[in-house]
Amino acid sequence: MKLRYAIAALLVATAFTVPGAQAQEKKQLAFVVNGASDFWKLAEAGVRKAQEELPNYELSLKYPEQAAAAVQQRLMDDLVAAGVSAIMVSAVDPKSSTDALNRVGGQVPLFTTDSDAPDTNRIAYIGSSNTDAGKQAGEIALKALPDGGKCIGFVGLPGADNARERIDGMKSVIAGSKVELIDVRGDDIDMTRAKRNVEDALAANPDITCMVGFYSYNPPRIYEVLKEAGKLGQITVVAFDEDPITLGGVREGTIAGTVVQQPYEWGYQGMKLMAKYLEGDKSVVPANKLIIVPTAIIDKANVDAFEAELKSRIGG
């Protein structure tokens, strides 16, 4: 009799524990961004699309509470402790985070996107060539300023590879021309500070003829300040990414052009890449460990077509 009760109890326990065990069998893939910004909405859409095609995985996109390397690192440590199977990260400051990133990469496969950390043990980088994107920004500036001009740049994280490479890329194109990038001001992805940087630069440099927004939210802050100061259309604006304010400025001609990336593809292709890698397909990682998703210049001639495609992707 006791044996019968024991067997019955075991069956009941199994009935409650097996579904949970099955649920835990789903591997967790996490995309960790560098800070809160609407820029990442397209990446979220890409992750959702990948989730539809990867039913045996649980995918998530995580925002650190603050755009700081230490905060981002704690988030990744928590994910590892919770059993995540692989992480893709836009490193806030890879130069100062090599040891921390290597620690994460030593526990789970680590991939980078948006801002690379090539000196770490990351498996591969998937994202833009930020150097090429910076060169495209230089092309926009040269075309918009045929007689030359002085530019001031604005960026979120000056220490991040994506910022440094964009700035260096732009400088390489305008070198020897009459267009100069005389200063770049950082804001640590703080929207209030980003706007104040533009206001301060405008007040301190009355002869400035060009402003460059290197992160997605910088061009909208430039646009707002110039509009409030009555200088919209008088100062050339070179932009990055596809914020609605930025695209509106391109359409009306107050922003010369914007260099757009494909964060949707980072989310979509990145998640599928990690899944294949976990399944043992190492051929998805090229020899140079770089998977470059091309950038493009959007100007008044192609902005409508680009925005229509953008809306279809987010809606899809």
Side-chain angles (χ1 to χ4, degrees):
M1 194 71 172
K2 289 182 180 179
L3 178 61
R4 186 182 302 169
Y5 282 128
I7 293 172
L10 178 62
L11 290 173
V12 170
T14 302
F16 283 101
T17 59
V18 167
Q22 289 175 339
Q24 290 176 1
E25 288 176 4
K26 283 192 175 185
K27 293 181 177 179
Q28 315 283 321
L29 306 180
F31 185 148
V32 178
V33 304
N34 57 8
S37 170
D38 286 346
F39 171 76
W40 294 113
K41 287 182 179 179
L42 275 167
E44 289 181 19
V47 171
R48 288 196 300 270
K49 179 63 176 176
Q51 181 68 83
E52 294 174 5
E53 300 176 19
L54 297 170
N56 296 325
Y57 293 83
E58 289 188 7
L59 314 183
S60 61
L61 188 145
K62 302 290 187 180
Y63 290 87
E65 294 177 0
Q66 182 183 352
V71 176
Q72 186 183 61
Q73 186 60 48
R74 283 198 298 273
L75 173 57
M76 288 193 288
D77 287 340
D78 290 345
L79 288 168
V80 171
V84 72
S85 297
I87 293 175
M88 183 166 66
V89 61
S90 172
V92 169
D93 189 354
K95 300 301 181 186
S96 67
S97 306
T98 300
D99 291 342
L101 290 168
N102 281 339
R103 185 176 69 250
V104 172
Q107 298 174 84
V108 298
L110 179 68
F111 295 75
T112 54
T113 186
D114 182 42
S115 182
D116 196 9
D119 296 328
T120 68
N121 60 5
R122 60 98 168 104
I123 305 297
Y125 167 80
I126 178 169
S128 305
S129 165
N130 286 294
T131 299
D132 288 348
K135 289 179 178 179
Q136 289 173 316
E139 292 170 12
I140 295 171
L142 289 176
K143 183 178 179 180
L145 297 163
D147 298 322
K150 294 181 179 179
C151 301
I152 292 181
F154 304 91
V155 72
L157 304 167
D161 275 18
N162 61 354
R164 179 181 53 79
E165 290 172 1
R166 290 176 195 182
I167 293 165
D168 289 347
M170 181 175 183
K171 285 181 176 179
S172 72
V173 168
I174 64 176
S177 74
K178 293 181 179 180
V179 176
E180 300 176 83
L181 183 62
I182 63 172
D183 188 18
V184 179
R185 304 187 177 198
D187 55 57
D188 293 326
I189 313 186
D190 180 322
M191 300 303 117
T192 301
R193 184 176 167 192
K195 185 175 181 180
R196 187 170 64 246
N197 279 350
V198 182
E199 293 170 337
D200 292 347
L202 189 62
N205 300 272
D207 60 338
I208 201 72
T209 53
C210 166
M211 291 186 169
V212 185
F214 285 101
Y215 273 15
S216 63
Y217 59 85
N218 292 126
R221 303 295 83 76
I222 293 170
Y223 184 96
E224 291 167 0
V225 172
L226 293 182
K227 186 175 182 178
E228 291 168 3
K231 291 184 177 292
L232 197 60
Q234 298 176 29
I235 293 178
T236 296
V237 180
V238 178
F240 273 79
D241 301 316
E242 59 285 315
D243 186 277
I245 294 176
T246 300
L247 295 180
V250 171
R251 181 177 293 105
E252 69 186 19
T254 54
I255 294 179
T258 186
V259 180
V260 297
Q261 306 178 86
Q262 299 190 62
Y264 177 95
E265 295 298 335
W266 307 347
Y268 175 69
Q269 294 185 33
M271 289 294 172
K272 299 198 75 175
L273 173 73
M274 288 197 290
K276 287 181 180 178
Y277 186 86
L278 289 174
E279 291 162 9
D281 184 0
K282 304 301 189 288
S283 68
V284 295
V285 178
N288 65 1
K289 299 184 178 181
L290 299 175
I291 301 167
I292 301 302
V293 181
T295 54
I297 293 175
I298 302 301
D299 55 23
K300 201 169 185 178
N302 60 0
V303 65
D304 290 335
F306 172 76
E307 192 163 29
E309 180 183 357
L310 202 63
K311 288 179 180 177
S312 70
R313 278 195 160 180
I314 296 177

